[in-house]
Amino acid sequence: MASNKNTIQFHVPEPTLRRLPWYLAFAKLVLKKGELYLSSTQIAKNIAVDASMVAKDLSYVNISGRTRVGYDVKQLVDVLEEFLGFTNFHKAFLFGVGSLGGALMHDNGLEQFGLQIVAGFDVKYQLAGTSINHIPIHHIERFEELQQQTGINIGVLTVPVEKAQEVSEIMVAGGIKAIWNFTPYRIVVPENIIVQNTSIYAHLAVMFNRLNALKEAHV
Amino acid sequence: MASNKNTIQFHVPEPTLRRLPWYLAFAKLVLKKGELYLSSTQIAKNIAVDASMVAKDLSYVNISGRTRVGYDVKQLVDVLEEFLGFTNFHKAFLFGVGSLGGALMHDNGLEQFGLQIVAGFDVKYQLAGTSINHIPIHHIERFEELQQQTGINIGVLTVPVEKAQEVSEIMVAGGIKAIWNFTPYRIVVPENIIVQNTSIYAHLAVMFNRLNALKEAHV
């Protein structure tokens, strides 16, 4: 069963796309336990969101449940994985082989979710020719040449914040269409370029603040 | 100048806390360029958010700008760093030294933002006694003992999804108060426990979807 990508993908709201992986994670767990069916109510209860929201989110995916029984778990897992793009390999270049960039190159988990980093680029000449986790590192000067050879259009941005804008412009000029931005900088790019911001350090700020608030509540 | 934490931190909304690191990143850049003052309008323009939102967000922080001149850049950087908790060292334990867990232990960037992972725990006996990036790895059995010795109450959760709930319960029982959850699983914890979800793979799903939509728009 295919996920009807061609007609509906423009219309999937980002909050839905962010929740679908939660449902997938839970469905995989249920599948592992050997259950055959799963209802949106069960998903909602375990994930602490509203059941009507689960049903609405799943309406974007091409799957239908059976009344009083729910979704076929195996089918739900397959359809969600394909819909979310986790079953395809999306090849990507990484820009900025510093601490976080190197860490992401170490993370084989990304491949399980469909992203394969095939090369890292850096301005440091001493890094060129080395590798991390069998992924080669090149000098940034070689990016355009390698982009033309491979057609890779996803770029992971892990440069220092003061280089974020400059490097994102190099990426776009060289053919990158989607930028996964791990810097805390809000890069400005042409309208037709996709930017996904993942500032893990901003999440730290939220956690520290909540932890302090908690401490003070107990004083 | 202190950040008046004790009276206002309960009231800072999460979207504000997520945006403040953007302003900080931009202010640092401006500081590096040698500028002395920065207005909320300038911040807004460069970061592509509304100027009134910047002013409102900064009203949570104890800093005041000068009319027609703006904020003192150096002071803005200092106050934001302190307010966001990036100037303190928050020690943390990491649970699940797999691919992503190991990658986070490799990322020295976390320390720049105030988080120091001081030990990793895993169920695999063969990992106990080893280390990554000079951070020791222990068997999970030793967690309670080491928690009691150190009082560390922040835990980074990077176990496989099917272990997320079980391990989060072990963490809470052993004294962890704040969980930075990198798994795509929505863990259920007591109300007084802080959970920060950072599912980087869910962001991948959003990016893949947008990239496909873009491709189809160009067909």
Side-chain angles (χ1 to χ4, degrees):
Chain A
M1 169 167 282
S3 62
N4 202 10
K5 270 182 200 163
N6 299 319
T7 52
I8 58 173
Q9 273 195 340
F10 286 96
H11 312 298
V12 190
E14 180 159 340
T16 293
L17 285 169
R18 291 189 182 223
R19 283 188 296 264
L20 289 175
W22 305 347
Y23 309 158
L24 173 60
F26 182 66
K28 276 175 151 175
L29 211 64
V30 168
L31 184 65
K32 240 183 192 171
K33 285 182 188 158
E35 308 276 338
L36 295 179
Y37 291 95
L38 180 60
S39 69
S40 46
T41 318
Q42 279 172 281
I43 297 175
K45 224 178 107 184
N46 277 276
I47 288 177
V49 299
D50 202 62
S52 61
M53 187 183 268
V54 175
K56 179 139 199 287
D57 287 343
L58 288 176
S59 74
Y60 289 101
V61 183
N62 191 5
I63 188 168
S64 48
R66 283 169 53 187
T67 321
R68 290 174 188 284
V69 182
Y71 303 100
D72 176 299
V73 184
K74 177 76 176 69
Q75 195 185 43
L76 185 61
V77 168
D78 290 348
V79 167
L80 278 175
E81 282 195 324
E82 193 193 330
F83 185 81
L84 293 169
F86 295 162
T87 49
N88 296 334
F89 260 140
H90 299 78
K91 293 186 186 221
F93 287 143
L94 181 138
F95 297 79
V97 189
S99 178
L100 181 62
L104 288 174
M105 289 166 79
H106 273 110
D107 178 16
N108 297 314
L110 288 171
E111 293 210 0
Q112 284 174 42
F113 290 89
L115 192 85
Q116 190 187 14
I117 298 172
V118 297
F121 293 96
D122 205 281
V123 289
K124 293 205 185 78
Y125 283 101
Q126 65 269 33
L127 287 178
T130 66
S131 68
I132 289 179
N133 196 18
H134 309 293
I135 302 166
I137 301 168
H138 307 287
H139 191 271
I140 183 105
E141 283 168 354
R142 294 204 55 207
F143 158 56
E144 285 204 29
E145 167 203 343
L146 290 167
Q147 200 282 334
Q148 279 163 23
Q149 277 175 25
T150 59
I152 287 170
N153 61 8
I154 299 178
V156 183
L157 184 62
T158 50
V159 295
V161 62
E162 67 270 18
K163 295 286 174 199
Q165 183 59 39
E166 182 190 334
V167 173
S168 69
E169 286 166 18
I170 293 172
M171 290 162 79
V172 171
I176 295 295
K177 300 287 180 213
I179 299 177
W180 195 5
N181 176 23
F182 280 84
T183 79
Y185 194 76
R186 307 299 285 179
I187 54 173
V188 179
V189 294
E191 238 183 275
N192 62 335
I193 302 297
I194 291 146
V195 176
Q196 178 62 47
N197 293 304
T198 300
S199 180
I200 66 171
Y201 306 126
H203 289 189
L204 261 185
V206 178
M207 188 171 70
F208 292 156
N209 184 279
R210 298 313 185 215
L211 195 59
N212 278 334
L214 186 78
K215 262 183 216 156
E216 283 147 24
H218 288 247
V219 167
Chain B
M1 171 166 282
S3 63
N4 202 10
K5 271 183 201 163
N6 299 319
T7 52
I8 59 172
Q9 273 199 339
F10 286 95
H11 312 299
V12 189
E14 179 158 343
T16 294
L17 284 168
R18 291 189 181 221
R19 281 188 297 262
L20 289 175
W22 304 346
Y23 309 159
L24 173 61
F26 182 66
K28 277 176 150 176
L29 211 64
V30 169
L31 184 65
K32 241 183 192 172
K33 286 183 187 157
E35 310 276 338
L36 295 178
Y37 291 96
L38 180 61
S39 69
S40 47
T41 318
Q42 280 172 282
I43 297 176
K45 223 178 108 185
N46 277 278
I47 288 177
V49 299
D50 202 61
S52 62
M53 187 184 269
V54 175
K56 179 142 201 285
D57 286 342
L58 288 175
S59 74
Y60 289 101
V61 183
N62 192 5
I63 188 167
S64 48
R66 283 168 54 187
T67 319
R68 292 175 187 279
V69 182
Y71 303 100
D72 177 299
V73 183
K74 177 76 177 71
Q75 195 185 44
L76 184 62
V77 167
D78 289 349
V79 167
L80 278 174
E81 281 196 324
E82 194 193 330
F83 186 81
L84 292 169
F86 294 162
T87 49
N88 296 334
F89 259 141
H90 300 79
K91 292 183 187 225
F93 287 143
L94 180 139
F95 297 79
V97 188
S99 177
L100 181 61
L104 289 174
M105 290 167 78
H106 273 110
D107 178 16
N108 297 314
L110 289 171
E111 293 208 0
Q112 284 175 41
F113 290 87
L115 191 84
Q116 190 186 15
I117 298 172
V118 297
F121 294 97
D122 205 281
V123 289
K124 294 206 184 78
Y125 283 101
Q126 64 269 33
L127 287 177
T130 66
S131 69
I132 290 179
N133 195 16
H134 309 292
I135 303 167
I137 301 166
H138 307 287
H139 192 270
I140 184 106
E141 282 168 355
R142 294 203 55 206
F143 157 56
E144 285 205 27
E145 167 203 344
L146 290 167
Q147 200 281 335
Q148 280 164 24
Q149 277 174 26
T150 58
I152 287 170
N153 61 9
I154 299 177
V156 182
L157 184 62
T158 48
V159 296
V161 60
E162 67 270 18
K163 295 288 173 197
Q165 184 59 37
E166 183 190 335
V167 173
S168 69
E169 286 167 18
I170 293 171
M171 290 162 80
V172 170
I176 295 294
K177 300 287 180 213
I179 299 177
W180 195 6
N181 176 25
F182 279 86
T183 79
Y185 195 76
R186 308 299 286 179
I187 54 173
V188 180
V189 295
E191 240 184 275
N192 61 337
I193 302 297
I194 291 146
V195 176
Q196 178 62 45
N197 292 305
T198 300
S199 180
I200 65 170
Y201 306 127
H203 289 190
L204 261 186
V206 178
M207 189 171 68
F208 292 157
N209 185 278
R210 297 314 184 214
L211 194 59
N212 277 333
L214 186 77
K215 261 182 218 159
E216 283 147 23
H218 288 248
V219 166

